[in-house]
Amino acid sequence: MARLEPHILSGHRSDGSGMPAAPHSRQDASEEGAACFGDRLALSAPLRVYYDITYQCNLACAYCYNKNSAVPGRRLLSIEEKMSLLDQMKAMGTRKLSIAGGEPFLDRDLHPFVKRGAELGMSISVTTNGTCISDAAIDFIRSGWFKRITVSMDGVDEKANKHRFGQSLKTVIRNVQRLKSETGADVSLKTVLGIDASLGDLAALIRFAEQMSIGTVKVSFLRKKAPEGASELDSAVHGYFNMMWQISQMKATTHVKIAMPSTPFDNAFGYPNLSTGWGCAAGKDLMYVNPYGDVKPCVMLSNDFVMGNLLERPLFDIWREGAPQLFAANNDECRACEYATVCYGGCRARAIQYFGRPDSRDVFCFRRYVDGTASPQEETARLKAGCVAVNGAYCITHL
């Protein structure tokens, strides 16, 4: 397979819609610094692959989106097929690999897989629950194959970790200390916050990071099932905004980087800081691979969005034949918005989860609330009038 370097899209429509323009020919695509697959302008390869190397895990976290993903008896990728994934990524020009699970350190192929990827010049990170860091793992990490080790922790006391069933917090803290003192690795922490989470737990985790000389705490937000009513949705959205605002204030109080989704609060409501102008990365600059070799634009999307399987087709063909254009907010509301080229409609997984359509806007649209475009009452009324319940989710009938 010929080696391809991923290129960044630089062209946009001239019709004011703010949506990516399709090139007229392969020559146009080359001039724009992107690849043209048929009439679709896209990156020639993903910049990063997220790979769940295993679904096996020794914990049972209540909020884990992979806890019901394992299919008994289904064939997993062999070590040879995992190595082939690395070779294909190398040939495509993809240089970043993020490994998760399940618990990656329970997979017997992790060490040779990571070593091979690093030898191919890839930047490899891994996310672990922190309970399976054995002496052998410490020795392997010390060898420098990983770019970063991220340990999941929801706080520094048992109450804060109440949703992480089976976890020994003392073991996790001891292993974080070992990672910092014995390996020289770049260690970060990752926490999951619900809308009603205690920000005091996050503050305590940041203090722990400061004490351990850990440079980054990553914050993810719990994605709940679509609410049953518009008032509940309104409450969830405002709770999310309120939490974002408070966390943005924390950033000024610590040297630890608090990594979370970009918001208007990060730049005194300067919307151009919201993203790189590329929008939701699903199927655009990243792809996800599960332990069975299924490929999706993003781990948060259901199996309805599987683009192909590595046992059946090469990674490049799956990428080339995918449909990233599906993951643009192609609706009248977003097209007419002055910030269309900044957020591109936001998260596609949330749009599908709440509205039942991949081309809808992100339910957590900042413009309506930060700009005062719509009051909470007006937004709730609009949702009630414009949505109908479909299997517990919401589908926009008009925008």
Side-chain angles (χ1 to χ4, degrees):
M1 182 183 296
R3 174 177 169 179
L4 299 175
E5 291 294 339
H7 302 289
I8 298 296
L9 174 69
S10 59
H12 298 88
R13 292 189 189 276
S14 60
D15 59 6
S17 68
M19 298 302 165
H24 298 292
S25 66
R26 290 183 180 273
Q27 177 66 28
D28 291 341
S30 176
E31 290 173 355
E32 292 290 353
C36 177
F37 301 136
D39 62 352
R40 175 168 60 86
L41 185 62
L43 295 182
S44 59
L47 301 180
R48 182 186 298 271
V49 168
Y50 287 85
Y51 178 40
D52 283 340
I53 195 169
T54 182
Y55 284 142
Q56 182 182 3
C57 191
N58 59 323
L59 302 186
C61 300
Y63 49 67
C64 179
Y65 51 76
N66 272 339
K67 63 182 178 181
N68 297 316
S69 297
V71 180
R74 188 176 179 192
R75 184 185 182 296
L76 298 165
L77 295 182
S78 67
I79 180 61
E80 292 79 15
E81 289 156 349
K82 292 173 183 175
M83 296 301 191
S84 176
L85 168 61
L86 295 172
D87 292 338
Q88 292 179 65
M89 289 174 58
K90 170 74 171 180
M92 291 172 68
T94 302
R95 293 290 181 269
K96 295 182 179 180
L97 175 64
S98 296
I99 301 173
E103 171 48 46
F105 283 94
L106 290 177
D107 189 84
R108 63 183 181 182
D109 297 333
L110 179 67
H111 291 187
F113 178 75
V114 170
K115 184 175 183 290
R116 171 64 174 162
E119 289 172 343
L120 291 174
M122 293 180 189
S123 174
I124 303 175
S125 60
V126 65
T127 298
T128 171
N129 63 34
T131 64
C132 301
I133 308 298
S134 63
D135 289 342
I138 290 290
D139 289 341
F140 182 76
I141 295 168
R142 188 185 293 119
S143 299
W145 303 115
F146 288 107
K147 174 71 173 180
R148 171 173 285 180
I149 311 291
T150 298
V151 180
S152 295
M153 293 178 64
D154 287 345
V156 293
D157 59 39
E158 296 293 347
K159 181 180 178 181
N161 288 272
K162 62 184 178 182
H163 297 300
R164 301 171 64 81
F165 303 118
Q167 181 187 57
S168 168
L169 184 59
K170 291 182 179 179
T171 297
V172 175
I173 291 176
R174 181 176 66 250
N175 285 337
V176 170
Q177 293 170 336
R178 290 193 68 189
L179 287 169
K180 285 297 299 181
S181 64
E182 299 180 31
T183 70
D186 181 358
V187 179
S188 65
L189 304 178
K190 184 174 184 178
T191 184
V192 176
L193 296 180
I195 298 302
D196 56 352
S198 167
L199 292 180
D201 294 333
L202 176 59
L205 188 63
I206 292 171
R207 288 195 296 272
F208 173 72
E210 291 173 340
Q211 294 166 2
M212 296 300 302
S213 298
I214 291 173
T216 302
V217 173
K218 303 176 183 179
V219 179
S220 295
F221 295 90
L222 185 60
R223 296 170 184 257
K224 298 182 178 180
K225 179 183 176 182
E228 299 299 327
S231 61
E232 184 181 347
L233 174 58
D234 184 70
S235 175
V237 171
H238 282 275
Y240 177 79
F241 292 158
N242 182 57
M243 184 177 295
M244 284 285 204
W245 169 255
Q246 294 186 61
I247 295 175
S248 71
Q249 304 308 295
M250 286 187 186
K251 292 182 177 182
T253 68
T254 178
H255 64 269
V256 173
K257 178 182 178 181
I258 303 176
M260 65 178 187
S262 298
T263 78
F265 307 130
D266 294 335
N267 194 33
F269 307 139
Y271 282 93
N273 198 41
L274 262 173
S275 76
T276 60
W278 185 236
C280 177
K284 294 180 182 176
D285 60 31
L286 67 84
M287 66 183 347
Y288 163 76
V289 180
N290 74 13
Y292 306 116
D294 291 331
V295 179
K296 296 192 292 186
C298 172
V299 65
M300 299 309 301
L301 294 169
S302 72
N303 287 335
D304 293 335
F305 294 93
V306 170
M307 300 186 295
N309 186 280
L310 295 178
L311 298 177
E312 301 170 355
R313 287 193 294 163
L315 185 67
F316 176 69
D317 288 351
I318 295 174
W319 176 260
R320 178 185 60 190
E321 297 167 13
Q325 285 184 337
L326 178 67
F327 299 96
N330 189 25
N331 60 75
D332 292 342
E333 184 177 16
C334 289
R335 281 198 299 266
C337 178
E338 62 187 296
Y339 303 117
T341 56
V342 176
C343 80
Y344 280 73
C347 174
R348 299 298 83 222
R350 277 199 298 254
I352 295 167
Q353 179 188 28
Y354 284 91
F355 297 141
R357 282 175 33 185
D359 61 344
S360 182
R361 68 170 177 84
D362 186 343
V363 67
F364 290 169
C365 172
F366 283 100
R367 178 176 178 268
R368 299 169 165 274
Y369 295 88
V370 177
D371 282 358
T373 305
S375 69
Q377 294 77 16
E378 290 170 339
E379 178 70 352
T380 299
R382 192 196 76 86
L383 286 167
K384 287 181 178 179
C387 301
V388 292
V390 180
N391 296 326
Y394 277 90
C395 178
I396 292 293
T397 56
H398 63 272
L399 287 169

